[in-house]
Amino acid sequence: MKKSGLMKVRTMAPVTRRGFNLGALAAASSAALGAGFGAGSARAASEVVFLGWQGYDEALFVGGFMEREGIELATTYIGNNDEIVTKLRAGGIGTIDIVTPYMGYVPLLARTGLIAPIDTSMVPNLADVMPIFKDDMNLNLDGKLYGVPFTWGAFPMMYNPAVVPEAPGSWHDLFNAEYEGKVGMMDDALGNIILAAQIVTDAESKTILTHDQLRESVDYMIKLKEKQIRMVAVSWGELSDALSRGDVVVTYGGWEAIKKFSADAGAVIEYTYPKEGTFAWLDSYCVATDAPNWETDHALCNQIIGIDAQVKIGTEYVQGIVNTKAVEALDPASRALYPYDDPTGFDEKFTFYTFPPLVDDGVHATFEDWVREWDRFKAS
């Protein structure tokens, strides 16, 4: 399992943005659906307990907000999203305030009573959040908002224009003879399967697949791995370095921020959204059920989508941001990394999907089926 979270350009920490511990998540999800929750003692009102990705707390301190408000942050950093489920179950209810899951986990957390609906009246900066993020179906359940979206990105194709002078128009171009042994990909199970389903299936949602569609998707990945893949990178830093050196000239999936990472290394790397499209990810601040600092927690949700915090995320961490006014305040290079100027056209480039099914409906592959198929890919 690789670590996910905000990647500081200056350190190039070996993290992966969308990594998943599949086996652990399957076990944790099943347990969460059928188990009760442990009780814990409340903490002092001035101490907020934060359970999330390392770096996702740093923008809270912009402008002296935390000191001015007298808020102390007790942080526990996670290594994968399923830790949020297990830690909330194991005594976290009543002690943990803020968690920062990937959007696909929000319905699970809400259905199992681990997170509470957001009081939107206490988060006025939501008015400046682009609707495509604020209205995401994963965050909105039964007319209630369960997560405050604050950062996002997609899974584009990266390429080296010195070797690939014209952006490939299709993901199928990765099989071209000139790319044999020169394609890179991330060790990202969920992301890779979703992308394969985007390329080869006609499923309406690329996470709601029949068993045949799931197998077809993984067969495509195996074929690519056998013929074209040079490396399955364990971190975004490793993939960026390989592109910068020329070991890899094009990728199966990627992250827009690699363009900035490579530029810092003196290399020119570009990205494109092939005609089949791709998927996108969205991370949020969620308030845990029975959080001991309800009002303060909402103040933190409001702070993380404020202009100053968003600009920090969009420049220092080169991740996508959600506040329209903050986008206007970005420097030109940071703003150019993401297609902010055409938010209405996002759907033509990428889609936000739900999490794969956890319960067998007799037709569609469950998440456990995805786990088994990923193991087949790894063993190929």
Side-chain angles (χ1 to χ4, degrees):
M1 169 61 206
K2 283 74 57 188
K3 200 169 189 178
S4 175
L6 288 167
M7 177 186 287
K8 291 190 177 182
V9 177
R10 62 177 179 268
T11 61
M12 289 299 291
V15 295
T16 63
R17 179 62 222 44
R18 294 174 295 278
F20 291 89
N21 182 329
L22 299 184
L25 175 58
S29 301
S30 299
L33 288 169
F37 308 119
S41 58
R43 295 177 180 265
S46 63
E47 184 179 66
V48 172
V49 178
F50 176 96
L51 175 67
W53 300 112
Q54 185 172 1
Y56 275 16
D57 54 329
E58 293 190 12
L60 294 173
F61 294 85
V62 170
F65 172 79
M66 299 291 280
E67 182 178 1
R68 183 172 65 251
E69 298 297 322
I71 303 171
E72 297 179 2
L73 207 62
T75 57
T76 298
Y77 297 131
I78 58 176
N80 47 68
N81 278 282
D82 51 288
E83 288 184 34
I84 295 173
V85 178
T86 56
K87 290 183 185 296
L88 284 173
R89 287 188 59 247
I93 297 299
T95 66
I96 293 172
D97 289 282
I98 297 290
V99 294
T100 64
Y102 157 73
M103 64 184 187
Y105 282 69
V106 173
L108 168 66
L109 292 165
R111 283 199 306 267
T112 54
L114 296 175
I115 57 175
I118 298 294
D119 184 339
T120 56
S121 69
M122 300 171 68
V123 191
N125 284 332
L126 279 168
D128 296 323
V129 173
M130 286 178 258
I132 190 173
F133 305 120
K134 184 168 52 179
D135 298 339
D136 180 74
M137 60 183 173
N138 295 284
L139 307 184
N140 293 270
L141 304 169
D142 301 322
K144 299 177 182 178
L145 181 69
Y146 278 86
V148 174
F150 75 102
T151 188
W152 64 281
F155 212 57
M157 178 189 291
M158 315 301 301
Y159 67 97
N160 185 334
V163 183
V164 186
E166 184 175 345
S170 169
W171 288 107
H172 294 297
D173 291 342
L174 293 176
F175 284 98
N176 290 354
E178 63 265 31
Y179 302 143
E180 184 175 353
K182 297 179 181 179
V183 179
M185 70 186 300
M186 282 296 298
D187 186 359
D188 180 350
L190 192 62
N192 287 336
I193 296 176
I194 293 173
L195 178 56
Q198 184 91 26
I199 298 168
V200 302
T201 79
D202 60 358
E204 183 175 353
S205 171
K206 308 310 178 183
T207 53
I208 311 300
L209 306 176
T210 65
H211 292 274
D212 287 344
Q213 288 170 333
L214 175 60
R215 175 166 286 275
E216 180 185 8
S217 300
V218 174
D219 285 346
Y220 178 88
M221 292 164 49
I222 291 173
K223 182 180 178 182
L224 186 67
K225 179 181 177 183
E226 291 174 344
K227 293 181 175 294
Q228 306 296 95
I229 295 294
R230 178 185 180 93
M231 72 177 307
V232 180
V234 299
S235 75
W236 292 113
E238 183 180 34
L239 186 58
S240 177
D241 289 345
L243 281 161
S244 297
R245 291 192 306 266
D247 295 343
V248 164
V249 301
V250 67
T251 67
Y252 172 84
W255 182 18
E256 295 92 340
I258 286 179
K259 179 175 178 178
K260 177 65 165 62
F261 304 153
S262 299
D264 288 348
V268 176
I269 298 298
E270 299 291 348
Y271 64 85
T272 185
Y273 304 102
K275 64 180 182 181
E276 296 87 0
T278 186
F279 75 95
W281 54 268
L282 178 65
D283 286 353
S284 299
Y285 266 36
C286 298
V287 179
T289 297
D290 295 336
N293 300 288
W294 181 256
E295 292 186 3
T296 302
D297 296 340
H298 281 73
L300 297 181
C301 290
N302 195 58
Q303 165 72 1
I304 202 65
I305 57 172
I307 295 175
D308 292 343
Q310 287 279 287
V311 168
K312 180 181 179 71
I313 293 169
T315 54
E316 184 175 349
Y317 297 114
V318 292
Q319 292 199 186
I321 59 176
V322 303
N323 185 311
T324 55
K325 293 179 179 178
V327 169
E328 295 171 359
L330 289 175
D331 64 84
S334 298
R335 183 167 179 167
L337 284 174
Y338 297 89
Y340 294 118
D341 293 333
D342 184 26
T344 59
F346 279 6
D347 287 343
E348 298 177 3
K349 301 178 178 69
F350 42 75
T351 305
F352 297 96
Y353 294 115
T354 61
F355 199 74
L358 295 173
V359 179
D360 188 356
D361 64 1
V363 177
H364 298 101
T366 67
F367 182 69
E368 290 187 0
D369 295 322
W370 284 53
V371 173
R372 285 191 288 270
E373 281 296 294
W374 176 249
D375 288 341
R376 182 168 72 90
F377 169 79
K378 295 285 281 188
S380 67

mmCIF file of all heavy atoms in Angstrom, residues 35-41 86-95 114 290:
data_model
loop_
_atom_site.group_PDB
_atom_site.id
_atom_site.type_symbol
_atom_site.label_atom_id
_atom_site.label_comp_id
_atom_site.label_asym_id
_atom_site.label_seq_id
_atom_site.Cartn_x
_atom_site.Cartn_y
_atom_site.Cartn_z
ATOM 1 N N ALA A 35 -21.228 -4.008 12.152
ATOM 2 C CA ALA A 35 -20.773 -3.917 13.532
ATOM 3 C C ALA A 35 -21.221 -2.621 14.180
ATOM 4 O O ALA A 35 -21.526 -1.638 13.535
ATOM 5 C CB ALA A 35 -19.253 -4.000 13.577
ATOM 6 N N GLY A 36 -21.223 -2.614 15.503
ATOM 7 C CA GLY A 36 -21.520 -1.400 16.249
ATOM 8 C C GLY A 36 -20.274 -0.571 16.389
ATOM 9 O O GLY A 36 -19.208 -0.912 15.902
ATOM 10 N N PHE A 37 -20.382 0.567 17.083
ATOM 11 C CA PHE A 37 -19.278 1.492 17.199
ATOM 12 C C PHE A 37 -18.845 1.598 18.650
ATOM 13 O O PHE A 37 -19.660 1.610 19.563
ATOM 14 C CB PHE A 37 -19.690 2.878 16.684
ATOM 15 C CG PHE A 37 -20.298 2.829 15.321
ATOM 16 C CD1 PHE A 37 -21.593 3.250 15.096
ATOM 17 C CD2 PHE A 37 -19.576 2.323 14.256
ATOM 18 C CE1 PHE A 37 -22.143 3.190 13.830
ATOM 19 C CE2 PHE A 37 -20.117 2.269 12.982
ATOM 20 C CZ PHE A 37 -21.405 2.692 12.778
ATOM 21 N N GLY A 38 -17.530 1.734 18.849
ATOM 22 C CA GLY A 38 -17.019 1.891 20.193
ATOM 23 C C GLY A 38 -17.250 3.298 20.704
ATOM 24 O O GLY A 38 -17.394 4.240 19.951
ATOM 25 N N ALA A 39 -17.276 3.473 22.011
ATOM 26 C CA ALA A 39 -17.461 4.786 22.616
ATOM 27 C C ALA A 39 -16.119 5.335 23.042
ATOM 28 O O ALA A 39 -15.203 4.597 23.374
ATOM 29 C CB ALA A 39 -18.397 4.688 23.815
ATOM 30 N N GLY A 40 -16.003 6.655 23.066
ATOM 31 C CA GLY A 40 -14.758 7.279 23.489
ATOM 32 C C GLY A 40 -15.033 8.533 24.264
ATOM 33 O O GLY A 40 -16.128 9.092 24.222
ATOM 34 N N SER A 41 -14.070 9.008 24.994
ATOM 35 C CA SER A 41 -14.245 10.206 25.796
ATOM 36 C C SER A 41 -14.012 11.437 24.952
ATOM 37 O O SER A 41 -13.155 11.464 24.080
ATOM 38 C CB SER A 41 -13.256 10.203 26.969
ATOM 39 O OG SER A 41 -11.945 10.120 26.485
ATOM 40 N N THR A 86 -11.926 1.905 9.854
ATOM 41 C CA THR A 86 -11.557 1.095 11.011
ATOM 42 C C THR A 86 -11.339 1.934 12.267
ATOM 43 O O THR A 86 -11.741 1.538 13.372
ATOM 44 C CB THR A 86 -10.300 0.266 10.709
ATOM 45 O OG1 THR A 86 -9.239 1.139 10.298
ATOM 46 C CG2 THR A 86 -10.566 -0.719 9.588
ATOM 47 N N LYS A 87 -10.734 3.097 12.141
ATOM 48 C CA LYS A 87 -10.460 3.925 13.318
ATOM 49 C C LYS A 87 -11.732 4.552 13.878
ATOM 50 O O LYS A 87 -11.871 4.722 15.094
ATOM 51 C CB LYS A 87 -9.418 4.991 12.989
ATOM 52 C CG LYS A 87 -8.024 4.427 12.773
ATOM 53 C CD LYS A 87 -7.001 5.526 12.510
ATOM 54 C CE LYS A 87 -5.627 4.928 12.174
ATOM 55 N NZ LYS A 87 -5.052 4.162 13.297
ATOM 56 N N LEU A 88 -12.666 4.916 13.015
ATOM 57 C CA LEU A 88 -13.937 5.430 13.520
ATOM 58 C C LEU A 88 -14.701 4.331 14.250
ATOM 59 O O LEU A 88 -15.336 4.583 15.279
ATOM 60 C CB LEU A 88 -14.771 5.997 12.375
ATOM 61 C CG LEU A 88 -14.340 7.365 11.838
ATOM 62 C CD1 LEU A 88 -15.137 7.730 10.585
ATOM 63 C CD2 LEU A 88 -14.511 8.450 12.900
ATOM 64 N N ARG A 89 -14.653 3.126 13.739
ATOM 65 C CA ARG A 89 -15.331 2.005 14.395
ATOM 66 C C ARG A 89 -14.696 1.664 15.731
ATOM 67 O O ARG A 89 -15.385 1.335 16.693
ATOM 68 C CB ARG A 89 -15.286 0.753 13.507
ATOM 69 C CG ARG A 89 -16.198 0.801 12.295
ATOM 70 C CD ARG A 89 -16.218 -0.553 11.617
ATOM 71 N NE ARG A 89 -16.691 -1.577 12.531
ATOM 72 C CZ ARG A 89 -15.962 -2.565 13.011
ATOM 73 N NH1 ARG A 89 -14.693 -2.676 12.681
ATOM 74 N NH2 ARG A 89 -16.487 -3.453 13.832
ATOM 75 N N ALA A 90 -13.370 1.713 15.779
ATOM 76 C CA ALA A 90 -12.637 1.256 16.959
ATOM 77 C C ALA A 90 -12.473 2.379 17.988
ATOM 78 O O ALA A 90 -11.364 2.745 18.350
ATOM 79 C CB ALA A 90 -11.278 0.704 16.549
ATOM 80 N N GLY A 91 -13.576 2.936 18.435
ATOM 81 C CA GLY A 91 -13.521 3.959 19.476
ATOM 82 C C GLY A 91 -13.445 5.376 18.977
ATOM 83 O O GLY A 91 -13.343 6.312 19.774
ATOM 84 N N GLY A 92 -13.492 5.573 17.652
ATOM 85 C CA GLY A 92 -13.341 6.910 17.130
ATOM 86 C C GLY A 92 -14.573 7.790 17.246
ATOM 87 O O GLY A 92 -14.477 9.015 17.300
ATOM 88 N N ILE A 93 -15.749 7.159 17.274
ATOM 89 C CA ILE A 93 -16.974 7.942 17.396
ATOM 90 C C ILE A 93 -16.977 8.666 18.743
ATOM 91 O O ILE A 93 -16.794 8.064 19.793
ATOM 92 C CB ILE A 93 -18.207 7.037 17.278
ATOM 93 C CG1 ILE A 93 -18.256 6.382 15.897
ATOM 94 C CG2 ILE A 93 -19.484 7.833 17.544
ATOM 95 C CD1 ILE A 93 -18.366 7.353 14.753
ATOM 96 N N GLY A 94 -17.183 9.972 18.697
ATOM 97 C CA GLY A 94 -17.180 10.775 19.916
ATOM 98 C C GLY A 94 -15.825 11.355 20.254
ATOM 99 O O GLY A 94 -15.726 12.193 21.152
ATOM 100 N N THR A 95 -14.772 10.934 19.534
ATOM 101 C CA THR A 95 -13.432 11.465 19.804
ATOM 102 C C THR A 95 -12.805 12.114 18.572
ATOM 103 O O THR A 95 -12.004 13.033 18.703
ATOM 104 C CB THR A 95 -12.488 10.347 20.298
ATOM 105 O OG1 THR A 95 -12.275 9.407 19.248
ATOM 106 C CG2 THR A 95 -13.068 9.633 21.508
ATOM 107 N N LEU A 114 -20.968 6.671 10.260
ATOM 108 C CA LEU A 114 -19.657 7.090 10.746
ATOM 109 C C LEU A 114 -19.393 8.578 10.548
ATOM 110 O O LEU A 114 -18.516 9.138 11.207
ATOM 111 C CB LEU A 114 -18.564 6.278 10.055
ATOM 112 C CG LEU A 114 -18.571 4.775 10.357
ATOM 113 C CD1 LEU A 114 -17.516 4.052 9.532
ATOM 114 C CD2 LEU A 114 -18.350 4.508 11.833
ATOM 115 N N ASP A 290 -20.985 12.426 16.065
ATOM 116 C CA ASP A 290 -20.750 12.795 17.469
ATOM 117 C C ASP A 290 -19.402 13.472 17.676
ATOM 118 O O ASP A 290 -18.773 13.330 18.734
ATOM 119 C CB ASP A 290 -20.859 11.568 18.390
ATOM 120 C CG ASP A 290 -22.265 10.984 18.428
ATOM 121 O OD1 ASP A 290 -23.219 11.732 18.141
ATOM 122 O OD2 ASP A 290 -22.400 9.782 18.730
#
